[in-house]
Amino acid sequence: MERVRTRVFRNDWSVLTPPGIGRWTPDLRVSVVIPARNGQRRLDLALASLAAQTYPGDLMEVVVVDDRSSPPLRLPALRPAHCRVLTPPDGGWGAGYARAYGAHASTGDILLWMDADMVVCPEFVEAQARWQHVHAEAVTLGRIRFSHTGPDSPAEALALARAGALHRALDAGRHHEWVHRLLTESDGLRDADHLGFHAYLGAAAAVRRSLYEATGGVDPGLDLGQDTEFGYRLWQAGAVMLPEPAATGWHVGRAGTARTRLPSERFRTEVLAESMPHPHAYRERVPVHRRRTPLVHTVVDVSGAPYDLVRACVDRLLASAETDLAVTLVADWEGAGQGRHAAGLHLDLRLAQATYLSEPRVSFADSAPRTGFPSPFLLQVPVSWGLGQVAVSRLLASAERARAGLTELFSATSPTRDAGVRLWRTRALARAIRVRDEGEDLGDVVAELHGRYRIHAGEETLTDLSLYRSVPPPPRTEPDPVEVAAPLPPQGGRDAREDTGRRGGARSGGWLRSGWERTRRRLRRGRG
């Protein structure tokens, strides 16, 4: 994604100054993507209203994605100059699939979403695209209204649009109640909290293609709720969401509850909450094994660390009271199993990998991720520090209470010593990376963009593991392999089972251990 110049504090978009409508010269191409299934008459009205746009026609294309309509959709006579109907390939269907394919097949620098049953004002495209011209992270949210009745024909829709009479003819004041409430309570999203993405609606929104691709795009597998899920990922990627009241569109015809309300609680719990840790009220109902995107992505660099230290650090994280987290262990895992003497040089890494290979919340990487995306938080923990059971929960609570972009944990016994335990808010970190100048400290930039909070914790919360770990044994040369014949099982099943039970091993553990003991004695005699 391109570099960003303007530094926006949290989501306070008031620092951005877009050009006035009709008083500037655009230079970015806009692709208007319209997913549609059946409804030829309403599509005709929508395209007629787009034919009256104030945005330059040579910089605007309209892509209608026909989602298995019967009969197939066609282009009407009244339409924008650059307009086409596409049929997505087999393999999927639904609004998410159509939106994703439309974005893939289009060519514009700016992607603008619009529903096929909408009639839009002439400034609909220009009013939104002006924001993406001044700030690459801007995501504009058009003003959506509902009208039971609409123009009788495409010609009437075009005439009303050109005369500036759509507001008088269609605006009945009906709107999305939850969006209106969210905008009102957050000062137009300037003071939005971590749930600001709920204002995003794909029926009338625009985003730079670079930001769209950075988020991974619309999920083609979601027919319902794809707007909410995509809005969540835009938010985590650092998008500056802002309402644009000058970009008004009207849904024409009777709208059911599926269009005017948020997805049902059951759908948000059973489907969306698996990929969206926020809101927490829905996420906490999802079993841990179904949480595809963790709330906290924890990173521990274990390069060169002894095995016992890695175990002490990671086991504490996995035993945390906050279970909605995943752990990535960073080291040269490729090199750990290579070379003639790899077993001796990289034994600690191989032991750590073997220990956590079957743990679903632990993964392995050769390099640390730059952000926690799509998780809301990235937690960096040095391997020499152990976090107490409630440490992660305390960090999260403090971060949300202070709305901090960076929350740091310091030891109360050494308040000036930086432990390196840092909880980064993903959206703040992603934005800081794009705006930071060469030589600037990343933590300082995040603090400027989203605030910083510091916690001094006692030993029960933050423990210096390097003070308590055992001293590793001295290195030893690897002996040549010795072929050992498997000994006979012990006589008397009762005694063998009792011994196994006392040792806590499997039934075969007795004869395996006896064979291993004889091998050790033989090796000691050989060295003697």
Side-chain angles (χ1 to χ4, degrees):
M1 184 173 170
E2 60 266 58
R3 180 174 170 76
V4 176
R5 297 293 179 184
T6 306
R7 303 192 177 194
V8 178
F9 181 70
R10 293 177 182 161
N11 201 64
D12 187 5
W13 49 266
S14 58
V15 299
L16 303 176
T17 306
I21 296 175
R23 297 195 297 271
W24 64 298
T25 303
D27 57 13
L28 296 179
R29 294 170 295 122
V30 176
S31 294
V32 181
V33 178
I34 305 177
R37 179 186 296 171
N38 301 320
Q40 181 68 60
R41 179 182 176 277
R42 292 185 182 182
L43 177 62
D44 292 349
L45 298 177
L47 294 179
S49 67
L50 285 175
Q53 290 300 297
T54 59
Y55 201 79
D58 60 332
L59 292 177
M60 187 180 79
E61 68 166 345
V62 177
V63 177
V64 179
V65 183
D66 187 352
D67 183 25
R68 309 292 188 267
S69 297
S70 181
L73 297 173
R74 54 169 178 77
L75 290 178
L78 293 179
R79 63 179 189 267
H82 304 285
C83 187
R84 52 195 170 123
V85 175
L86 301 178
T87 300
D90 294 336
W93 61 276
Y97 190 74
R99 290 184 194 277
Y101 182 72
H104 169 75
S106 60
T107 61
D109 306 299
I110 300 171
L111 291 168
L112 191 151
W113 313 107
M114 175 178 159
D115 278 0
D117 66 343
M118 293 181 70
V119 172
V120 297
C121 68
E123 302 82 14
F124 185 75
V125 175
E126 181 188 355
Q128 296 191 68
R130 60 182 180 148
W131 291 94
Q132 282 82 35
H133 275 73
V134 299
H135 196 69
E137 296 170 333
V139 174
T140 49
L141 312 175
R143 179 175 176 266
I144 300 176
R145 293 294 183 265
F146 296 90
S147 177
H148 287 320
T149 61
D152 292 328
S153 66
E156 183 183 355
L158 181 60
L160 289 172
R162 287 175 172 171
L166 286 173
H167 286 272
R168 183 175 63 254
L170 302 178
D171 206 341
R174 297 180 61 240
H175 53 265
H176 291 281
E177 291 290 346
W178 88 86
V179 174
H180 178 74
R181 182 170 60 253
L182 178 56
L183 296 180
T184 301
E185 294 174 352
S186 64
D187 189 21
L189 295 182
R190 294 179 184 88
D191 192 36
D193 59 12
H194 61 288
L195 299 179
F197 64 89
H198 275 154
Y200 178 85
L201 293 174
V207 58
R208 284 283 283 263
R209 181 179 293 275
S210 56
L211 181 59
Y212 174 85
E213 292 176 348
T215 64
V218 174
D219 187 345
L222 286 176
D223 182 33
L224 297 174
Q226 78 278 351
D227 288 358
T228 304
E229 194 273 338
F230 180 54
Y232 161 81
R233 280 187 285 118
L234 281 172
W235 192 256
Q236 306 313 322
V240 179
M241 291 191 181
L242 58 99
E244 178 45 86
T248 304
W250 295 265
H251 286 289
V252 175
R254 290 196 171 274
T257 56
R259 184 177 295 282
T260 58
R261 294 174 55 189
L262 280 165
S264 68
E265 286 200 13
R266 181 180 179 186
F267 182 81
R268 298 176 79 182
T269 301
E270 296 294 328
V271 179
L272 294 182
E274 292 186 3
S275 301
M276 294 170 46
H278 290 149
H280 184 70
Y282 299 103
R283 178 62 165 216
E284 63 184 3
R285 306 175 197 172
V286 179
V288 173
H289 69 275
R290 284 177 44 202
R291 297 174 180 178
R292 291 185 290 169
T293 301
L295 175 66
V296 182
H297 184 173
T298 307
V299 177
V300 183
D301 190 336
V302 299
S303 301
Y307 171 68
D308 61 329
L309 194 62
V310 175
R311 282 292 304 269
C313 176
V314 177
D315 286 355
R316 281 170 168 80
L317 289 169
L318 297 177
S320 171
E322 177 55 71
T323 59
D324 200 355
L325 61 81
V327 181
T328 296
L329 305 182
V330 179
D332 181 15
W333 302 107
E334 291 284 338
Q338 297 178 0
R340 180 178 178 182
H341 301 291
L345 296 176
H346 302 289
L347 179 60
D348 287 310
L349 284 182
R350 296 174 68 186
L351 286 173
Q353 192 171 41
T355 299
Y356 298 110
L357 205 55
S358 60
E359 168 57 58
R361 291 192 291 163
V362 176
S363 60
F364 306 88
D366 291 330
S367 59
R370 301 184 72 191
T371 74
F373 184 86
S375 296
F377 293 98
L378 173 71
L379 176 61
Q380 293 176 335
V381 181
V383 69
S384 59
W385 289 96
L387 299 189
Q389 190 173 24
V390 298
V392 177
S393 300
R394 183 178 176 186
L395 280 166
L396 288 169
S398 299
E400 293 296 17
R401 184 172 57 251
R403 295 191 184 180
L406 173 59
T407 305
E408 299 170 293
L409 195 59
F410 286 77
S411 173
T413 58
S414 304
T416 59
R417 179 187 176 189
D418 185 1
V421 179
R422 294 183 174 89
L423 182 70
W424 304 85
R425 189 180 296 271
T426 297
R427 68 181 263 102
L429 183 56
R431 194 184 297 172
I433 291 173
R434 292 192 288 265
V435 79
R436 179 176 60 158
D437 293 326
E438 185 177 354
E440 271 193 298
D441 180 76
L442 188 59
D444 292 340
V445 179
V446 169
E448 181 183 350
L449 296 177
H450 222 286
R452 170 186 258 153
Y453 192 84
R454 288 175 174 170
I455 303 173
H456 291 88
E459 190 172 350
E460 71 283 354
T461 301
L462 183 63
T463 304
D464 187 351
L465 300 176
S466 63
L467 301 178
Y468 300 98
R469 70 180 181 85
S470 60
V471 179
R476 61 183 180 185
T477 58
E478 295 183 27
D480 295 330
V482 178
E483 186 175 341
V484 182
L488 294 175
Q491 299 297 321
R494 177 182 174 87
D495 293 339
R497 283 195 297 272
E498 289 179 356
D499 180 67
T500 302
R502 287 194 298 270
R503 294 175 181 267
R507 290 194 177 188
S508 61
W511 65 269
L512 282 175
R513 276 191 296 272
S514 61
W516 174 239
E517 288 297 330
R518 283 197 294 271
T519 302
R520 291 179 60 188
R521 289 196 294 270
R522 186 182 307 174
L523 290 174
R524 282 198 292 268
R525 287 197 301 269
R527 284 197 293 266

